[in-house]
Amino acid sequence: MTAHFTPKSDFLRVLIERGFVHQCSDYAGLDEKALAGGLTAYIGFDCTAASLHVGSMLPIMMLHWLQKTGGKPIALMGGGTTRVGDPSGKDEARKLLSVEQIEQNKDGIRQVFDKFLDFNAGAIMIDNAEWLTKLNYIDFLRDVGRHFSVNRMMSMDSVKMRLERDQELSFIEFNYMCLQAYDFVEINRRYDCVLQMGGSDQWGNIVTGIDLGRRMGAPQLYALTAPLLTTASGAKMGKTAAGAVWLNADMLSPYDYWQFWRNTEDGDVARFLKLFTLLPMDEITRLAALGGAEINEAKKVLANEATALLHGRTAAEAAAETARKTFEEGVVADSLPTVSVPASEAIGMGVLSAFVRAELVASTGEARRQIKGGGLRLNDAAVSDERAALSAGDFTNGVAKLSLGKKKHVLLKAE
RNA sequence: GGGGGAAUGUCCCGAGCGGCAAAGGGGGCGGACUGUAAAUCCGCUGGCUAUGCCUUCGCAGGUUCGAGUCCUGCUUCCCCCA
């Protein structure tokens, strides 16, 4: 798809060579726009949670590169569309979030953008609630609705597939598409933005926006989508034992974030280095060439770089150091995640409740099962008796190390 | 409007003659093997103050010693006819 196109602009060149591009509505046209300088592009983000997760890193990095290559990135918060609720997740009986909740989520998400975009140098963050909530149904239909070609929308893959399979396609879903399309035109009008980027699943929505733009007399608009990210073994990115890999530090510690990248599959290392770090390409090529156990070095670099981007260099180094002590020396690093418990409670506490307290397991029942499977360890010794209790001797300097499996460790601190 | 079908372990799919904490997958977690990888093999995958107790099969009632299973009403979804 991109094989025979040689971009002249830095923007497209970087994105293509680093593997960000899946589809583009018009490579040559967009290349020219980018070359002319000052290219403005936006990506929409949902406000359904208080933090974004790694799945959103890809689009965020695209905006980052846009700014780095001289463009102007816009992060669009779906404050308005979130109020409608994206129906694509189907029967998920999506709960409607309150407006305050959405505002809170926006704040949480903003923290992340601050790290990747320079809002003092042209990057902006906007919220489609600003215009969407003011729409009047009749006016909208007359001014905008008449430009939507249902024929065209019917021919889109997402819609066609639903119809062919006799699957439900609700009216609200159809409208969601229209709102997103309208966003594009509105943002173009307000900010002279001609490019919308997003995941490959957004292709249909983005193209609908381009189409609407043409009909409403907007300048030529462009679409650029990123590939859907899956790991080499086909699983979707971003989910892990403890749930989603959140970007906010208060929802997932920098150490755990570092671990997430450290545990990357071999087959993903090169791809991830290109997508999630800013390392120069020749450096990545060198790292990717490492084979066998040496590839672990590349994984450490990946973890360091990715963590540094999000949580800062200091936090990344601390995480790396903690990991080195824990895994390579088997020493108890005092920077492992820590849970404090009053000393009076800690001494004599049953092992089961201790692991629950440390949030390594969800229930005493699970703790019991893990013990049976040999998965729980106290100070690196397997726990075999579920009725054992913590004694003063288990605490060194007031700290006991609890482990689930080989990778998850928590320090229980008696205070 | 008429007729037919469906809803199951709160991750998903999915079996279930009236005795069910409920088959089987996928996914996830743990163990072995490794390189904190992949592949492979094995175990686990409702809760608890635990030889017992409690809560689960769309919702609400009913029949029964006993109901995911039978009956009635309701909700939601799908299909066919109009």
Side-chain angles (χ1 to χ4, degrees), chain A residues 153-191:
Chain A
M153 292 199 286
M154 300 279 284
S155 73
M156 295 192 331
D157 276 356
S158 58
V159 176
K160 221 168 32 182
M161 264 164 39
R162 292 288 191 85
L163 294 178
E164 273 165 13
R165 288 192 209 147
D166 271 332
Q167 276 178 341
E168 164 87 354
L169 177 69
S170 73
F171 184 60
I172 194 175
E173 189 156 10
F174 225 62
N175 270 271
Y176 191 84
M177 216 155 61
C178 297
L179 289 179
Q180 191 170 332
Y182 175 68
D183 272 350
F184 198 172
V185 178
E186 184 65 29
I187 291 170
N188 168 262
R189 202 181 274 160
R190 293 179 177 225
Y191 303 98

Side-chain angles (χ1 to χ4, degrees), chain A residues 57 60-61 64 67 112-118 309-310:
Chain A
M57 275 310 298
I60 292 174
M61 290 303 284
H64 176 88
Q67 187 163 36
V112 171
F113 281 107
D114 271 332
K115 296 176 181 141
F116 292 90
L117 301 179
D118 188 348
L309 278 178
L310 181 64

Side-chain angles (χ1 to χ4, degrees), chain A residues 252-257 259 319 322-323 326 332-340 358-360 399-402 407-413:
Chain A
L252 186 77
S253 72
Y255 172 74
D256 286 327
Y257 189 75
Q259 282 297 322
T322 304
T326 310
V332 178
D334 50 5
S335 47
L336 281 171
T338 303
V339 172
S340 297
E359 289 179 1
L360 285 169
V399 170
K401 180 181 172 197
L402 306 183
K407 296 182 190 171
K408 275 164 268 169
H409 311 281
V410 168
L411 299 182
L412 194 68
K413 198 172 186 182

Side-chain angles (χ1 to χ4, degrees), chain A residues 141-158:
Chain A
L141 287 180
R142 287 180 59 95
D143 299 341
V144 182
R146 69 193 169 101
H147 295 296
F148 281 109
S149 161
V150 173
N151 308 49
R152 174 132 168 69
M153 292 199 286
M154 300 279 284
S155 73
M156 295 192 331
D157 276 356
S158 58

Side-chain angles (χ1 to χ4, degrees), chain A residues 149-336:
Chain A
S149 161
V150 173
N151 308 49
R152 174 132 168 69
M153 292 199 286
M154 300 279 284
S155 73
M156 295 192 331
D157 276 356
S158 58
V159 176
K160 221 168 32 182
M161 264 164 39
R162 292 288 191 85
L163 294 178
E164 273 165 13
R165 288 192 209 147
D166 271 332
Q167 276 178 341
E168 164 87 354
L169 177 69
S170 73
F171 184 60
I172 194 175
E173 189 156 10
F174 225 62
N175 270 271
Y176 191 84
M177 216 155 61
C178 297
L179 289 179
Q180 191 170 332
Y182 175 68
D183 272 350
F184 198 172
V185 178
E186 184 65 29
I187 291 170
N188 168 262
R189 202 181 274 160
R190 293 179 177 225
Y191 303 98
D192 196 25
C193 168
V194 293
L195 170 65
Q196 181 182 175
M197 304 188 285
S200 57
D201 55 327
Q202 294 300 311
W203 179 255
N205 289 336
I206 299 176
V207 169
T208 305
I210 294 179
D211 202 49
L212 177 66
R214 185 166 47 240
R215 285 162 194 266
M216 290 182 71
Q220 178 64 55
L221 303 175
Y222 301 90
L224 183 69
T225 57
L228 203 63
L229 246 208
T230 53
T231 68
S233 38
K236 38 180 192 288
M237 278 272 300
K239 289 285 184 179
T240 189
V245 179
W246 300 109
L247 299 185
N248 287 9
D250 51 354
M251 292 175 75
L252 186 77
S253 72
Y255 172 74
D256 286 327
Y257 189 75
W258 192 93
Q259 282 297 322
F260 169 76
W261 292 108
R262 174 63 245 263
N263 287 317
T264 299
E265 296 175 24
D266 286 9
D268 287 326
V269 174
R271 200 156 51 105
F272 286 3
L273 279 168
K274 285 193 265 182
L275 293 172
F276 301 109
T277 76
L278 302 179
L279 293 176
M281 288 298 287
D282 49 354
E283 172 74 0
I284 292 175
T285 312
R286 187 185 69 76
L287 288 168
L290 296 174
E294 284 197 326
I295 198 163
N296 281 321
E297 289 313 309
K299 291 185 188 181
K300 284 181 205 165
V301 173
L302 171 64
N304 285 341
E305 294 303 312
T307 308
L309 278 178
L310 181 64
H311 296 298
R313 187 60 66 182
T314 318
E317 277 164 10
E321 181 58 16
T322 304
R324 199 183 59 76
K325 277 190 188 156
T326 310
F327 287 98
E328 291 173 24
E329 293 175 17
V331 177
V332 178
D334 50 5
S335 47
L336 281 171

